[in-house]
Amino acid sequence: MQVDLNLLTALDALLEENSVQAAADRLHLTPPAMSRTLARIRATTGDDILVRTGRTMTPTPRALAMRDEVRTLVARANRVLAPARTVDPATLRRTFTIQGHDALLAALFPALLRTASAEAPGMSLRLLAEAPVDTPDLARGHVDLELGATVPSSPEISHLVVGADRLVLVTRAGRELDIEEFAAAEHVIVSRRGRLRDGVDKVLAEVGLRRRVVAALPTAALALQAIAHSDVVGVMAERSTAQARADAGLSAVELPFDPPSAPVVLSWHSRYDTDPAHAWLRAHCRTAVTDVLASGRVAEPTSPE
């Protein structure tokens, strides 16, 4: 029997998304076309692959067993068929979408924009704020690069830990607090999900203290404005907020305990691992972030190593 190898790509999308609609979006097909493709896959494999459970689709045991092998086969085929290419930034005509923590985007964007203007004048950048919930935007191709503090758990998402930014206490008063004064102060925290507790509260709980969080704010910029115009304080990453703190006239002081560092992580879908244009973008983002973490200032554009 002659097998249509194009079905492997569709099968890979279906097994990753567990949804005909999402797989269709990913492959730029209509849902009816994807449904017909699923029917062909079922006929070829002799297995249902996905079965409806309420409003969702559930993979069959055979689908689960073949998922990793299908992903590997598709990745190998892409590597075999992809021509060896280099990119000339000067001729690049492409729009890249970068999503991430607002403090990190604000810190690296000036350098990245100047680099793009000088080396790739035909390139456009679209910056998006972090979504309030986890989304599959990287997998679906809606976002090219994510910048945040979380190492992705999905094997299909590649990542690079660029460095780490230490946490400090941002205040208007500019004086250090002991741990009791720290706990007694009114706090704002930055949380895209609106959470009123984070790792700082675990540290305080270990010594029998509890702080008062008066607000959870979605961005570092909003938190800095709240601190600048009231008596609240906030625990924030030191270097990525340095320029914004200076603009707001705020001080950063040492925390009265040893806080964990906040990692800075670049993430992208593995389909872009060998894409020269995407590699060019990643290299310049890495360089800009590294400069920010090293200096605490908005980075000047430099060429990646």
Side-chain angles (χ1 to χ4, degrees):
M1 181 178 66
Q2 185 174 4
V3 178
D4 183 356
L5 295 181
N6 290 323
L7 295 180
L8 274 176
T9 301
L11 179 58
D12 182 49
L14 287 164
L15 293 181
E16 285 190 10
E17 302 291 349
N18 289 336
S19 164
V20 171
Q21 175 69 61
D25 289 344
R26 176 170 165 177
L27 298 181
H28 305 291
L29 298 174
T30 64
M34 181 54 71
S35 293
R36 290 192 295 271
T37 301
L38 176 57
R40 293 176 60 199
I41 293 171
R42 286 168 169 166
T44 301
T45 62
D47 188 85
D48 285 336
I49 302 300
L50 293 175
V51 295
R52 184 163 295 283
T53 306
R55 295 184 178 180
T56 63
M57 301 289 283
T58 301
T60 64
R62 185 178 178 192
L64 291 173
M66 69 169 66
R67 181 163 56 191
D68 289 343
E69 184 177 3
V70 168
R71 181 179 299 144
T72 299
L73 288 172
V74 171
R76 286 178 178 174
N78 287 335
R79 286 195 295 269
V80 168
L81 296 175
R85 296 179 298 157
T86 58
V87 64
D88 179 5
T91 62
L92 187 61
R93 300 291 183 270
R94 187 162 166 180
T95 297
F96 287 107
T97 300
I98 305 174
Q99 186 174 53
H101 190 286
D102 72 302
L104 290 170
L105 292 181
L108 74 86
F109 178 67
L112 189 59
L113 180 61
R114 289 191 291 270
T115 298
S117 298
E119 297 186 19
M123 186 185 78
S124 299
L125 293 172
R126 181 190 293 120
L127 302 187
L128 300 180
E130 289 182 300
V133 295
D134 291 331
T135 64
D137 286 340
L138 281 178
R140 294 183 179 177
H142 300 161
V143 170
D144 296 293
L145 195 63
E146 278 189 354
L147 188 61
T150 302
V151 173
S153 58
S154 172
E156 68 188 83
I157 304 300
S158 300
H159 73 278
L160 174 67
V161 179
V162 182
D165 202 348
R166 73 178 192 134
L167 298 177
V168 292
L169 180 65
V170 180
T171 75
R172 188 173 60 172
R175 70 177 183 87
E176 293 189 9
L177 307 178
D178 62 31
I179 196 164
E180 287 80 11
E181 292 171 327
F182 173 87
E186 293 187 331
H187 291 252
V188 293
I189 65 174
V190 180
S191 171
R192 64 189 175 105
R193 295 184 176 90
R195 292 175 176 169
L196 294 171
R197 293 287 180 267
D198 59 21
V200 170
D201 298 282
K202 294 180 181 180
V203 174
L204 292 176
E206 291 174 355
V207 294
L209 294 173
R210 181 182 177 90
R211 64 174 172 166
R212 171 168 160 71
V213 176
V214 298
L217 302 173
T219 65
L222 195 55
L224 290 171
Q225 286 299 308
I227 296 168
H229 295 285
S230 68
D231 292 328
V232 299
V233 300
V235 177
M236 305 178 74
E238 178 187 28
R239 291 172 179 145
S240 59
T241 63
Q243 185 65 62
R245 287 198 322 269
D247 293 342
L250 296 173
S251 301
V253 299
E254 298 286 340
L255 288 166
F257 51 86
D258 186 19
S261 295
V264 180
V265 184
L266 288 175
S267 303
W268 63 94
H269 195 276
S270 57
R271 70 169 71 93
Y272 295 124
D273 283 350
T274 57
D275 181 342
H278 198 281
W280 179 89
L281 174 71
R282 297 197 303 266
H284 281 287
C285 283
R286 182 192 67 221
T287 299
V289 173
T290 300
D291 287 347
V292 169
L293 295 178
S295 67
R297 300 185 301 272
V298 175
E300 293 297 324
T302 57
S303 297
E305 298 179 355

